[in-house]
Structure formats: C-alpha cells, structure tokens
Amino acid sequence: MNKDRKEELIGCFEGIDDNAKMIIYPLIDNVVFLEQQLDDLKKLPFVNINPKNSMQQKPTTASKMFKELNQQYNNSIKILISVLLKTGEDDTSPLRDFMSIIKEKYAND
C-alpha cells in the first residue's frame, strides 16, 4: 500500500469529526488499494487478437477486472468527495466559490 498516497488522502479529511473518520479511513485504505490494482492491470493487455484474423478480438480478463475495479474506485471517490463537500459547508473554498459563480451565471442566462 502506498503510504504517501494514503497520507495525502487522510490529510484531506483532517477537519471531519471522529465518527466520520471511523468510516472514511477504511474507505481510504480501499481507494489506495484499488489505485494500486488498477495501475497493475494497466500493464496487461486488454484485448486478445486472433493471430489468423486480426478482426477477431476478445476482451481479456484483465480488461474485465479493470472495468469492475474502476467502477468501485469511482464510487468510492464519489463518497469521499460527498463527505468533503458536506463537512465543508461552513468553510469557503476556492472550488465552492467558483461553483457559486458558475451557478449564478447560468441562473441569470
């Protein structure tokens, strides 16, 4: 497990309460694990090509695993982001300010 990446993600959640941390920290472990698995899978071929007919191609097991793990990863990231957005409602962040400006712009158009 990549400790630097784990520490980087944990640092994003320093401001949340202890109860939320008990839920978030195991999810961070899963995200770091999934990132490593996805990186490993990227090194493998995703398509088998029939040597006699290059038009015949089949996805490999690695491509199927990548698709499944990537979906799990994306869902986990969405959960982490939603926690960050909910815990930071009182704080003003540059992203939140930018989103407010965009929202106002499109509301007025």
Side-chain angles (χ1 to χ4, degrees):
M1 184 178 300
N2 187 338
K3 289 187 179 191
D4 291 337
R5 177 65 173 150
K6 181 178 177 179
E7 293 302 318
E8 178 183 13
L9 289 172
I10 287 174
C12 294
F13 294 90
E14 288 178 353
I16 65 173
D17 65 50
D18 290 338
N19 290 332
K21 285 180 183 177
M22 291 182 353
I23 296 168
I24 294 301
Y25 285 2
L27 186 58
I28 289 173
D29 287 337
N30 288 339
V31 165
V32 173
F33 173 77
L34 288 169
E35 287 175 347
Q36 183 60 50
Q37 294 301 308
L38 290 168
D39 285 343
D40 291 345
L41 286 170
K42 286 178 187 177
K43 298 172 187 170
L44 301 173
F46 280 23
V47 178
N48 280 331
I49 300 172
N50 183 342
K52 295 179 182 177
N53 181 357
S54 63
M55 297 302 289
Q56 292 179 335
Q57 302 175 5
K58 288 173 42 176
T60 64
T61 303
S63 74
K64 294 174 186 176
M65 289 176 62
F66 184 88
K67 181 180 176 182
E68 291 174 20
L69 291 177
N70 195 45
Q71 184 62 44
Q72 291 175 10
Y73 175 77
N74 288 334
N75 290 338
S76 297
I77 292 295
K78 286 177 187 177
I79 292 168
L80 292 176
I81 289 172
S82 71
V83 169
L84 278 177
L85 292 176
K86 287 179 184 175
T87 58
E89 288 178 356
D90 296 336
D91 300 335
T92 57
S93 70
L95 177 60
R96 194 172 309 280
D97 293 340
F98 175 74
M99 292 306 291
S100 296
I101 292 168
I102 296 297
K103 197 183 250 187
E104 287 176 22
K105 178 182 178 188
Y106 285 106
N108 294 330
D109 286 345

